[in-house]
Amino acid sequence: MKILLVEDDITLAEGLAGALRNAGLLVELAEDGRSADYLVSTERYDVVILDLGLPDGSGSQWLAGWRARGINLPVLILTARERWSDKAAGFSAGADDYVTKPFETAEVLFRLRALVRRAHGHAHPVITVGEIALDTHAGQVTRAGMPVGLTAQEFRLLSHLIHASPRVVSRTEISEHVYDGDQEPDSNVIDVQVSRLRRKLGGEFIETVRGQGYRVNGGKVSE
């Protein structure tokens, strides 16, 4: 999962970003609306965490502008404003969820995972494809009921493929959603990680679609 965190309180932003990275998520930071606007226009994210009180305008105003331009990725409002009018403004601008400060990092993490899961059409936190089960809340994978040990990047790659199933996921999309922006993995790196996942999950679970990318091939997705 790749997240854009838009927050002008640097201490808070770095603390939350660190906690989310420790949970295996990719996080990029923006300190104001203008920087965030550029990033959502040029990069691909799975979800945005957006503060309302930005130095160059309300987060709700920036969000309304994104929605008007057809930028429909999930957005979680994170702010100290507790008045209903502020919440209403955020939802009216196109927010999908709302958390007030102070907050528990675990709650933010649960809400982020739920937003991404629902954006891909999954209502239940456990997504099952064949004998593979991805628990989006616990961040765990099992095969036929037995835990599967994955690295953070392997988990992100598998999670993205399962969320996208049955769609074919291109290498470009994998690079943008699974790896840090400064990594720019080559095809061999992706191939190696896919091979490792196949060894752990079964050789037929991830299918290579020549010239297009990868998709999971474990049967019907269920919840």
Side-chain angles (χ1 to χ4, degrees), residues 119-194:
H120 287 87
H122 302 294
H124 197 275
V126 179
I127 306 172
T128 303
V129 186
E131 65 178 9
I132 305 301
L134 172 72
D135 188 330
T136 59
H137 275 187
Q140 299 175 344
V141 174
T142 58
R143 179 184 180 186
M146 298 299 293
V148 179
L150 301 178
T151 67
Q153 284 191 342
E154 289 171 350
F155 181 86
R156 286 196 297 267
L157 175 54
L158 177 63
S159 178
H160 193 76
L161 290 173
I162 288 179
H163 276 95
S165 181
R167 181 172 59 83
V168 178
V169 181
S170 69
R171 292 174 182 273
T172 299
E173 183 176 337
I174 289 172
S175 298
E176 293 174 338
H177 288 266
V178 176
Y179 299 90
D180 284 316
D182 56 356
Q183 286 183 306
E184 293 295 333
D186 56 29
S187 295
N188 184 62
V189 171
I190 296 174
D191 290 341
V192 168
Q193 290 207 323
V194 169

Side-chain angles (χ1 to χ4, degrees), residues 7-81:
E7 170 64 63
D8 64 329
D9 183 331
I10 303 304
T11 300
L12 186 152
E14 291 181 346
L16 177 57
L20 295 177
R21 288 170 182 145
N22 287 338
L25 280 61
L26 300 180
V27 184
E28 292 186 6
L29 301 178
E31 298 179 18
D32 52 47
R34 188 174 301 278
S35 299
D37 186 67
Y38 173 77
L39 289 171
V40 298
S41 301
T42 57
E43 303 288 339
R44 291 189 180 184
Y45 298 95
D46 294 298
V47 62
V48 174
I49 302 175
L50 179 64
D51 184 23
L52 290 185
L54 298 174
D56 55 352
S58 167
S60 295
Q61 293 175 332
W62 287 105
L63 175 56
W66 301 341
R67 297 310 194 211
R69 284 154 44 199
I71 299 174
N72 296 320
L73 75 172
V75 173
L76 171 68
I77 294 292
L78 185 66
T79 183
R81 301 178 182 180

Side-chain angles (χ1 to χ4, degrees), residues 186-212:
D186 56 29
S187 295
N188 184 62
V189 171
I190 296 174
D191 290 341
V192 168
Q193 290 207 323
V194 169
S195 295
R196 289 175 179 170
L197 284 174
R198 284 173 173 154
R199 288 197 297 270
K200 295 177 180 182
L201 305 174
E204 302 299 321
F205 185 71
I206 299 177
E207 175 188 2
T208 299
V209 181
R210 188 175 298 277
Q212 297 183 51

